[in-house]
Every structure is written in C-alpha cells, then in structure tokens.
Amino acid sequence: MLISTTYTHTWRTGAAATFAAYPRWGRWGVVAVPVVVLLLAFPMGSLQMGLWSVFFVLFMVFVHGRHVRALIGQGAIDVVLDDEGFTRERPGVSTASIRWTATLGVRRQFGLLVIRTAPRSVASVPETAFNAEQLARLDEFIRMRNSPTVTAG
C-alpha cells in the first residue's frame, strides 16, 4: 500500500481533527458539561453561576477556535502512507515519520483518517484528500490492521 497525497486543513476538518484528539469518553464532556451547567444554572436562579457558565462556554469556543486556526495556518501538508508506516511533511519546515507498529490505532471518523500516535495525540488527514481508489485501499488496510490474528500455540 503506497498512498501519497497533499492536503490543507479547512475550518471543518480542523474542528474535526481537534475533536478527534479527545478520548472517546472525553468527547461527551466537551459538549455536554457546558450545556448541562448552563441548563442547571438558570432554573436554580443563580445568576453568578449562569454568568460563569456562559463565560466558560465562550472560553472553550475561543480556545478551540485558536487551535483550529493554528491547524489551518500550517498550510499544505504532504502525507505518504506505505506498508512500513506514514510520513507527514510540511515542505520546508518539518518531517515526521512513524511506523505502524508504534501507532495506537487507525480509523476513519468525522470525515478524517485518524491515526492515534499517543494517548492524546492524533495525526489526521481529511478524506477529501484521497480519491475513491485510495479510500478503498485505506479501508482494506484498516480492516486488515484491526482484524484479530490467530496464533498457534
């Protein structure tokens, strides 16, 4: 499997990449906690709690927006996926290569190919960067990678 592509993050893919970096159990908290606190503050009549929860929601949107903006500001990124691992390069800036055996998982979600490289670190590539043939090869690779292996003992 050798797939080479170039992509640039958009606001949509940047937001999806930011959200994908959270562990599965943490994704619910990112969305639910501010909403629940806001819904509980106003019926209880606590104006101070309501104001703090509104501030908290706005602060979270601001922080995530800055992170997404930083992803967009990276510009064009070249990605090469092969049988050994994957290489992510920002031309003229940096290159990172990781072997597949060192990754924690590979999956497609939120319109991205998400490669977990550490517990809270992901490398993501928008699905729009791949053509139909490349996506089919990626699906086959993910299926083969995630299938259980049988060992004779």
Side-chain angles (χ1 to χ4, degrees):
M1 172 187 88
L2 177 64
I3 298 174
S4 179
T5 188
T6 300
Y7 70 93
T8 302
H9 275 294
T10 63
W11 279 98
R12 181 182 172 278
T13 61
T18 301
F19 196 60
Y22 289 102
R24 288 185 185 188
W25 57 268
R27 291 183 202 135
W28 286 102
V30 169
V31 176
V33 169
V35 172
V36 169
V37 169
L38 192 60
L39 290 175
L40 290 176
F42 290 110
M44 292 174 48
S46 174
L47 181 62
Q48 185 178 10
M49 188 173 165
L51 291 176
W52 277 108
S53 62
V54 168
F55 173 75
F56 179 64
V57 169
L58 293 175
F59 181 73
M60 280 184 58
V61 168
F62 173 75
V63 169
H64 284 85
R66 283 185 51 119
H67 185 79
V68 171
R69 186 170 178 225
L71 284 175
I72 293 169
Q74 289 180 352
I77 298 171
D78 298 330
V79 175
V80 177
L81 302 138
D82 59 16
D83 292 331
E84 301 294 319
F86 75 97
T87 302
R88 184 178 182 270
E89 178 184 0
R90 288 178 53 201
V93 179
S94 65
T95 301
S97 295
I98 296 180
R99 292 190 173 273
W100 291 120
T101 55
T103 61
L104 298 176
V106 179
R107 69 181 177 280
R108 286 174 59 184
Q109 72 178 36
F110 310 127
L112 302 168
L113 171 68
V114 178
I115 305 166
R116 281 203 181 281
T117 57
R120 285 199 160 146
S121 180
V122 297
S124 60
V125 182
E127 288 181 352
T128 56
F130 301 110
N131 61 30
E133 178 187 340
Q134 291 173 329
L135 284 174
R137 288 178 25 204
L138 276 174
D139 286 337
E140 180 65 21
F141 171 76
I142 292 170
R143 188 184 63 76
M144 293 292 288
R145 180 166 165 70
N146 293 334
S147 66
T149 58
V150 178
T151 57

